[in-house]
Amino acid sequence: MKISVIGCGYVGCVTGVCFADLGHEVTLVDVDPAKLRAISAGRSPIYEPGLEDLIRKNRDRISATTDLRAAIRSTDITFVAVGTPSQEDGAIDLRYVLGACEEIGQVLKDKDTFHTVIIKSTVFPGTTKEMACPVLEKASGKTAGRDFGIGSNPEFLREGSAVRDCLSPDRIVIGADDPRTAGILSDLYAPVGSVVLVTPVTTAEMIKYTSNAVLAAKISLANEIGNLCKRLGVDSREVFTAVGMDGRVSPAFFRTGIGFGGSCFPKDVRALVAGARACGEDLKILRAVLEVNEEQPKKLLSLLRRHIPDLQGKIIGVLGLAFKPDTDDIRESRAVPVVADLLAAGAQVVAYDPAAMENFRRVFPQVGYVSGPDEVLGADAVLILTEWREFEGLDYRGRIVIDGRRLEKARAEAMIYEGVCW
Ligand SMILES: NC(=O)c1ccc[n+]([C@@H]2O[C@H](COP(=O)([O-])OP(=O)(O)OC[C@H]3O[C@@H](n4cnc5c(N)ncnc54)[C@H](O)[C@@H]3O)[C@@H](O)[C@H]2O)c1
């Protein structure tokens, strides 16, 4: 099949390259020529384990262009995978999705063959049917379901293991209101061999938001209990290991610490809360999930102040800037508020991250970035913000360590050790 993917970021690039690996001809489209140049040269435009190898392996089947119109004309199916950031009030910003749909629609106007448009970006339930589809119909002068196909195919990959998640997902959700679109997507995904759920379009969108809401809620619940555990001298890890053994509860994602970040959980939970409010529903639990998450990084600073009350002029080392290990993504990383608070308190920040320093430097040029984690250990105190595996191998003896991610070696060795929830 000839596939185009609009938006060549963490989702679009991985999805497109994985489709190429399944044998399809893929055209990747982005407005950022640097990303496209990287792909054309056989390099990955993002830090994602295994992606560059897959780009090189499938080079003959992948092309990269800024010409969206040519990409639509030369392919049969288009996945829209552009960003859906938050607006000021937390509601979803649809300008990239609807902008792409407008342009796709203009091309479909003159296209004779049946084309299928799939919204892969995470969007509020109802967006594909009530917003994207009317934009496509108006721009093309055609009717969805009859003249072109439209559907939803939310993405569940995790940065850091995106290639594996994409090629062997837990499940594939296809949202389609017409049988032709459902059939095209089902055939496309059949070789993946995972469970495929075909649902109405709006249900598929709701499944994605609900998945992220459940995972975020699990983390904030774990953090609330973890905060209490710390006060009571109870080890929260022991608690959650035992709780997770209950057949009705999975042990996954009971992660205590400084909370969740990244490009999905915070923005998607905010969008769900804001969208629900607009429909007259107040999602109280999810509001609390966000509130707990905002408070967790502040706990790290108050633990640090127990040992160094005045941070003015002190050198504070930071291990980890990415929102999670194995990515260079710093969107909504918990390191952002922590470093901002340290700088506001007059501390000198020295930081190391194996992949995310370049991205972090654009936001915080005043931080001292060092070339190895050992250089961070010489600071007056060390904060652990991301659980990169290489931090497990460091020598923490004689150090003051405030840990937001529970590194067992630091816990065992540090002269003074404080964990956020344990
Ligand atoms: N990052 C994840 O782990 C993840 C996981 C699941 C779902 N999602 C969702 O997938 C969507 C994309 O997320 P992402 O992390 O890949 O975003 P991203 O910011 O990494 O990538 C989006 C890309 O779209 C490009 N773009 C914007 N407008 C365009 C246009 N008109 N034409 C062509 N390209 C355009 C941008 O230049 C950028 O490269 C979002 O809705 C997100 O919520 C993300």
Side-chain angles (χ1 to χ4, degrees):
M1 199 174 269
K2 290 183 177 172
I3 300 172
S4 45
V5 182
I6 315 301
C8 194
Y10 290 86
V11 166
C13 188
V14 173
T15 306
V17 171
C18 287
F19 279 139
D21 199 50
L22 292 172
H24 301 286
E25 250 179 74
V26 176
T27 307
L28 297 169
V29 182
D30 206 288
V31 289
D32 180 354
K35 286 187 177 166
L36 305 169
R37 271 198 304 275
I39 292 164
S40 301
R43 286 184 283 110
S44 170
I46 51 168
Y47 179 96
E48 185 58 52
L51 184 58
E52 192 154 293
D53 289 346
L54 222 57
I55 291 174
R56 293 210 174 125
K57 180 181 160 206
N58 296 290
R59 228 165 155 166
D60 294 349
R61 282 194 288 271
I62 299 171
S63 58
T65 178
T66 52
D67 191 344
L68 183 145
R69 288 164 190 261
I72 304 303
R73 277 194 292 269
S74 64
T75 56
D76 313 306
I77 181 165
T78 300
F79 288 83
V80 176
V82 297
T84 47
S86 294
Q87 296 183 43
E88 282 280 294
D89 62 354
I92 183 172
D93 181 347
L94 288 170
R95 86 180 86 156
Y96 304 111
V97 170
L98 298 182
C101 287
E102 168 77 35
E103 225 180 319
I104 294 166
Q106 286 166 12
V107 183
L108 295 189
K109 192 175 187 175
D110 301 318
K111 198 172 172 191
D112 299 330
T113 51
F114 191 86
H115 195 95
T116 306
V117 181
I118 303 299
I119 306 297
K120 189 168 256 309
S121 300
T122 305
V123 292
F124 190 77
T127 301
T128 301
K129 208 168 162 179
E130 285 151 34
M131 298 179 85
C133 186
V135 167
L136 283 159
E137 287 187 323
K138 188 159 179 246
S140 64
K142 294 184 172 177
T143 304
R146 190 189 69 196
D147 305 323
F148 67 92
I150 178 134
S152 157
N153 172 221
E155 182 53 61
F156 298 93
L157 63 77
R158 297 160 296 177
E159 289 174 28
S161 56
V163 170
R164 197 178 58 229
D165 293 345
C166 198
L167 289 172
S168 46
D170 291 339
R171 78 307 205 189
I172 292 160
V173 176
I174 291 173
D177 292 337
D178 70 274
R180 189 165 177 182
T181 302
I184 289 168
L185 276 179
S186 301
D187 290 349
L188 182 64
Y189 277 113
V192 173
S194 298
V195 175
V196 175
L197 301 163
V198 180
T199 70
V201 169
T202 306
T203 307
E205 294 167 331
M206 192 71 206
I207 290 169
K208 174 63 191 173
Y209 268 102
T210 306
S211 288
N212 280 359
V214 168
L215 294 170
K218 229 174 154 181
I219 295 173
S220 279
L221 176 64
N223 279 332
E224 225 174 30
I225 298 290
N227 293 337
L228 177 62
C229 284
K230 182 160 177 86
R231 286 197 186 268
L232 299 176
V234 171
D235 185 337
S236 61
R237 181 165 289 184
E238 272 188 76
V239 172
F240 284 109
T241 302
V243 171
M245 287 173 178
D246 187 319
R248 297 162 298 177
V249 184
S250 137
F253 259 72
F254 273 142
R255 287 196 203 133
T256 53
I258 47 174
F260 55 81
S263 65
C264 293
F265 291 174
K267 103 174 153 59
D268 292 346
V269 176
R270 276 198 300 266
L272 192 52
V273 169
R277 193 182 301 123
C279 302
E281 285 299 327
D282 179 15
L283 304 188
K284 298 184 197 70
I285 292 175
L286 292 180
R287 279 196 288 114
V289 165
L290 292 169
E291 201 183 317
V292 169
N293 199 53
E294 289 313 303
E295 283 167 9
Q296 287 308 106
K298 295 193 178 82
K299 295 197 179 292
L300 200 80
L301 268 288
S302 62
L303 290 172
L304 174 63
R305 282 202 168 92
R306 267 193 206 171
H307 304 282
I308 306 180
D310 182 8
L311 294 172
Q312 183 68 41
K314 291 287 185 299
I315 300 174
I316 305 301
V318 168
L319 286 174
L321 300 168
F323 86 92
K324 62 180 281 193
D326 295 319
T327 181
D328 58 355
D329 197 346
I330 61 154
R331 287 177 286 184
E332 307 226 19
S333 167
R334 301 294 82 192
V336 172
V338 170
V339 169
D341 284 354
L342 288 171
L343 293 170
Q348 280 182 51
V349 178
V350 177
Y352 173 75
D353 186 285
M357 288 196 288
E358 210 178 299
N359 286 339
F360 212 80
R361 194 196 302 270
R362 287 193 204 109
V363 188
F364 291 101
Q366 62 276 57
V367 165
Y369 297 93
V370 294
S371 53
D374 289 325
E375 291 176 64
V376 168
L377 295 179
D380 294 314
V382 176
L383 309 186
I384 300 173
L385 305 188
T386 316
E387 63 276 37
W388 283 93
R389 195 165 302 134
E390 70 180 82
F391 298 161
E392 282 282 4
L394 302 179
D395 182 356
Y396 294 96
R397 285 173 297 180
R399 316 289 176 199
I400 299 176
V401 176
I402 315 296
D403 188 356
R405 299 297 183 191
R406 187 150 177 161
L407 258 75
E408 292 301 338
K409 184 147 188 288
R411 191 163 178 251
E413 286 183 359
M415 177 180 72
I416 293 173
Y417 178 89
E418 294 272 10
V420 170
C421 286
W422 53 91

